[in-house]
Amino acid sequence: MARLYVKIKEKDNVAVAVQDIKAGTRITEDLTANQDIPQAHKIALCDISAGKEIIRYGVVLGYAIHEIRKGDWINEHMLELPESPSLDHLEYGTNLVEMENLPMPKRTTWMGYRNQTGPAGTRNLLGIVTTVQCAAGVLQVAVEQMKKELLPKYPNVDDIVAVTHPYGCGVAIHAPLAEIPIRAITNIIRHPNFGGEIMVVGLGCEKLTYSYVLPQEDITKENVLTLQDYAGHDAMMQAIFEMAEKKLQKLNKRHREELPLSELLIGMQCGGSDAFSGISANPSAGYAADLLVRGGATVMFSEVTEVRDGVQMLAARCVDAHTRDRLVEEMKWYDKYLAEGGVGRDANPTPGNKAGGLSNIVEKAMGSIAKSGSSPIVEVLSPAEKPTKHGLIYAATPASDIVCGPSQVASGIGLQVFMTGRGTPYGLAISPVIKVCSRKEMKAHWFDLIDISAGAVVTGEATIQDVGEEIFDMILDVASGLKKPYSDQYGFHNDMCIFNPAPIT
């Protein structure tokens, strides 16, 4: 008989419908649906009195606003959000999995582009970064022309990428929080997929001058180009072409070589989540993360509001007091950031998340954390910081897909794995993005947009280990240039939305 629902923990008093369940359906001998229950939504496994706990993942999602009968459909309108976990006196190191107890990967090397420092590249790109949005139009036109006229001459270069962003002028450049977008742009200029070649295009009157993003020794005519220095369109274009061609000549000499996993940095992110995300896609990605960490790679996961309600679980996996303290510091910063904006954590989830069965941010967080696997957390980063250690890293970023992605790119990821339940065509030009969906229906609907389906985990036809190993293999194949995810095949690449919490003047 086909599985009708999924229950995560023994103490849970709700379960998730595998398919739409019609009112009157007998689910078990003593459980009948009282109403139509949409796919991925929750059904009450027992009577729940008003004010009593609603439990999934073994965690209190909230409190019943009114009496709920066994067999009732439970949706977002029926729960009162609990208080956020306290950030004071969090215990650390109480749930540390020893390295030898993580799953062993079958592959421990990959084919990448070695860099002089930091992680290796998964792609060989000419990245051209603007200092200000004003230069974006010129650069985008130039890059489109260069892809047609220059790139074919350099077959070892994968692409030319225009890195434009909304920052650079009309901003409070000396505001304390301006360090975040400035750090992001600084680090993107030296992304591992750019092979150490620096090319920065400015306008000439912006606040974000070259000195904010480059050391003095790199501010040379070989690396920076100011549009206001050139007399008209043709001169600008010629200057960009000439500088780019010199960079392409150097990049064309690079070749892939066999490298250890210790030179690979991977990002994990989820978006358009549903109630299956924490059952199938995210735990499978978490298993792949454990394989990577065991093999020596570095894995990064993020999204502050989507871990905040499970912060005690993350603290328990922090390797020392300093790492725990950094986690607390980032959580407190974000709590203050939201409060000053007049919103709370309940601004997340989205309408689409709720349509997919996620009732509130607590439920979303429990599923989101699953993509981190079970490895110890060895470091906590502020937005757009670069890691200094190998292993599992928590990088504090907003949960917004189009802000989290660029933040992880600035931290140096060579590739991102992106889990989704509702579906998104999201992609990044700098780092390939592998899409993993949580349900079979999503893969059937977007058969040529989703790379891997974890839906068979929901139906019981596959295990988390099965799909996790499939994700791990695709990570190494994509990182090694053997496969292209769909987002790269179509060129579906989102804008680089740099996180800027600082004032705009």
Side-chain angles (χ1 to χ4, degrees), residues 449-503:
L449 292 168
I450 299 294
D451 299 296
I452 294 174
S453 172
V457 175
V458 177
T459 60
E461 300 166 275
T463 65
I464 288 169
Q465 178 178 341
D466 294 335
V467 180
E469 289 177 346
E470 183 182 0
I471 295 170
F472 173 83
D473 283 337
M474 188 164 188
I475 288 170
L476 296 197
D477 287 347
V478 171
S480 299
L482 301 175
K483 291 182 179 179
K484 270 190 175 184
Y486 284 120
S487 58
D488 278 357
Q489 291 179 37
Y490 301 129
F492 289 168
H493 298 143
N494 286 72
D495 295 337
M496 291 300 287
C497 296
I498 301 297
F499 181 36
N500 175 31

Side-chain angles (χ1 to χ4, degrees), residues 2-21:
R3 178 187 287 181
L4 294 178
Y5 70 88
V6 176
K7 179 180 176 182
I8 303 295
K9 298 286 188 179
E10 182 61 33
K11 67 182 293 187
D12 291 357
N13 58 9
V14 299
V16 173
V18 172
Q19 301 290 344
D20 291 345
I21 297 176

Side-chain angles (χ1 to χ4, degrees), residues 311-331:
V311 65
Q312 70 280 8
M313 300 176 185
L314 299 188
R317 292 166 56 193
C318 288
V319 294
D320 53 33
H322 171 72
T323 307
R324 184 271 318 274
D325 292 346
R326 285 287 296 116
L327 178 68
V328 170
E329 183 180 5
E330 293 297 335
M331 296 297 109

Side-chain angles (χ1 to χ4, degrees), residues 74-154:
I74 297 177
N75 57 51
E76 70 269 20
H77 305 295
M78 301 166 69
L79 288 78
E80 181 181 351
L81 193 66
E83 292 292 323
S84 296
S86 172
L87 294 172
D88 297 324
H89 312 300
L90 288 173
E91 294 187 0
Y92 68 89
T94 59
N95 186 24
L96 296 180
V97 176
E98 297 292 335
M99 188 67 73
E100 57 267 26
N101 292 328
L102 294 174
M104 176 65 76
K106 297 175 183 176
R107 300 161 64 181
T108 57
T109 62
W110 62 295
M111 301 297 293
Y113 296 96
R114 175 168 275 144
N115 290 311
Q116 290 184 352
T117 60
T122 63
R123 293 292 182 268
N124 188 25
L125 304 172
L126 171 58
I128 310 175
V129 183
T130 60
T131 58
V132 66
Q133 176 60 211
C134 308
V138 172
L139 181 58
Q140 288 167 344
V141 169
V143 166
E144 287 306 309
Q145 291 181 14
M146 290 191 293
K147 285 183 178 183
K148 297 173 184 176
E149 299 173 24
L150 290 185
L151 192 59
K153 296 164 55 178
Y154 302 99

Side-chain angles (χ1 to χ4, degrees), residues 206-224:
E206 62 269 27
K207 291 183 179 180
L208 188 71
T209 58
Y210 301 128
S211 60
Y212 282 100
V213 294
L214 289 170
Q216 193 59 43
E217 62 267 23
D218 287 334
I219 303 175
T220 66
K221 59 184 176 57
E222 289 77 28
N223 293 336
V224 303

